[in-house]
Amino acid sequence: MSERACVREVGLRDGLQSIAEILPTEQKLAWLDAEYAAGVREIEVTSFVPPKLLPQLADAEAVVRHALSLPGLTVSTLIPNLKGAERGLALGVHEMNFVLSVSEGHNRSNVRRSTAESIEDFRRVVALCRTAPEGPRPRVACGLATAFGCTIEGAVDEERVRRIAVDVAEAGAGAIILADTVGYGQPAAVERVFRRVMADVAPLPVAGHFHDTRGLGLANVLAALNAGARSFDASLGGLGGCPYAPGATGNIVTEDLAFMLEAMGFETGIDLDRLIAVRELVHQALPDVVQHGAIAKAGLPKNFRLSRLAEAAE
Ligand code: ZN
């Protein structure tokens, strides 16, 4: 039996938050439905930021409500603070991701507090979620942004990443996401940091969030896979490029990630043809937004599906 690997779609959050043109709610829901129909079972559907700060995600409640109606879908949301956690809890989302930056400078510029203060905020989020009854209690993950480098501070100390990972694990994180927010990571460092952090916080799951800004996104996925990680964030068409660097790629491309995992023999549950077809739907809704990705351009290798079926039958 082949091993499972999880592809977590974050395009509706990480992708859309950097796009100024507001995608109407019904088109977000159509995108969500199409990825769900393609077999994607974990989607970060929005972020609970104040609508004034990010008008693109002002329809968070409506998107979450719809996502929760899809059976078997793990509905995940980003929460920037306690207020966001309250909104997520009220709606009954399955997973909330609190994000703090390993880099002090990045954290201060993002949320105007020190990383240590953000860890305290995370503690309060966990405490709040523990007031919910156990059954519907959401899993609270903690994303460590700039874990592999920072545009403000440059290199990030690996020992600091480990310390913060242990701190948030002790604070009650249900999972940790190591994020290469600005695409500075390289495979040797990624494998090393994943191995160490995973050993430090075991058995807590550690997921990867990579950006392809410098072309190393999938290489970094492979490095994290080698270290034992089995869950990865990605964005349809690689949406989520930096708004200040036109044409720069953002998140790794969901279709390419799913292809790589499937080709390596991991089971993702995703129908690649149907997933690739979702690009057209998003393209019609956002015609000016450049989509990235190799597999959609090149097509699947000849007999790709047949060889996968033969392997499954072995
Ligand atoms: Zn990101």
Side-chain angles (χ1 to χ4, degrees):
M1 237 184 74
S2 55
E3 208 183 334
R4 281 199 67 88
C6 176
V7 173
R8 243 179 115 255
E9 173 64 52
V10 299
L12 286 140
R13 195 278 304 168
D14 205 343
L16 287 182
Q17 74 179 16
S18 66
I19 294 170
E21 185 191 342
I22 291 179
L23 188 63
T25 308
E26 59 190 75
Q27 284 170 339
K28 289 179 188 170
L29 304 189
W31 175 1
L32 234 166
D33 286 347
E35 284 217 30
Y36 176 77
V40 178
R41 285 296 176 270
E42 272 203 52
I43 305 184
E44 188 165 281
V45 298
T46 192
S47 171
F48 291 123
V49 283
K52 259 177 277 168
L53 272 182
L54 203 51
Q56 177 70 273
L57 303 182
D59 58 0
E61 265 74 10
V63 174
V64 167
R65 275 201 195 89
H66 178 80
L68 286 169
S69 75
L70 302 172
L73 178 69
T74 297
V75 180
S76 180
T77 57
L78 191 139
I79 49 161
N81 50 34
L82 197 63
K83 180 88 188 97
E86 283 167 4
R87 289 169 69 188
L89 211 52
L91 285 161
V93 301
H94 305 125
E95 182 172 281
M96 298 200 265
N97 290 319
F98 181 88
V99 178
L100 53 85
S101 300
V102 175
S103 144
E104 200 71 57
H106 194 265
N107 205 67
R108 283 195 186 279
S109 86
N110 255 9
V111 288
R112 291 181 206 88
R113 34 163 74 62
S114 69
T115 303
E117 287 169 316
S118 282
I119 295 172
E120 286 312 308
D121 289 342
F122 179 65
R123 253 180 247 283
R124 282 188 272 275
V125 166
V126 172
L128 173 74
C129 289
R130 286 188 176 155
T131 64
E134 210 163 320
R137 189 183 291 174
R139 181 169 91 156
V140 188
C142 190
L144 306 191
T146 65
F148 300 96
C150 166
T151 43
I152 296 166
E153 295 188 357
V156 162
D157 177 23
E158 292 178 16
E159 291 306 312
R160 183 172 161 85
V161 181
R162 293 177 72 180
R163 268 197 314 274
I164 294 172
V166 168
D167 283 350
V168 300
E170 283 171 359
I176 289 174
I177 303 164
L178 295 180
D180 185 18
T181 315
V182 294
Y184 276 19
Q186 46 86 359
V190 167
E191 184 164 342
R192 191 170 57 239
V193 173
F194 265 80
R195 278 191 195 284
R196 289 178 176 167
V197 168
M198 288 178 81
D200 290 342
V201 303
L204 210 62
V206 181
H209 177 106
F210 298 111
H211 282 232
D212 200 33
T213 322
R214 288 171 182 79
L216 298 183
L218 286 183
N220 289 334
V221 169
L222 180 62
L225 271 173
N226 288 341
R230 291 293 181 268
S231 178
F232 301 95
D233 292 358
S235 175
L236 190 89
L239 259 60
C242 176
Y244 308 107
T249 56
N251 290 280
I252 57 168
V253 176
T254 309
E255 310 83 282
D256 291 355
L257 170 67
F259 167 67
M260 183 178 105
L261 292 170
E262 287 283 331
M264 289 175 71
F266 289 99
E267 211 176 292
T268 65
I270 291 172
D271 180 325
L272 290 168
D273 293 306
R274 292 184 82 168
L275 181 66
I276 290 165
V278 183
R279 292 166 65 97
E280 183 52 32
L281 189 140
V282 175
H283 174 67
Q284 275 168 17
L286 295 167
D288 298 330
V289 172
V290 178
Q291 293 187 10
H292 303 276
I295 200 67
K297 286 182 198 123
L300 293 172
K302 187 174 182 181
N303 293 339
F304 180 73
R305 291 170 212 79
L306 289 173
S307 64
R308 292 287 294 120
L309 282 175
E311 274 170 36
E314 266 170 22

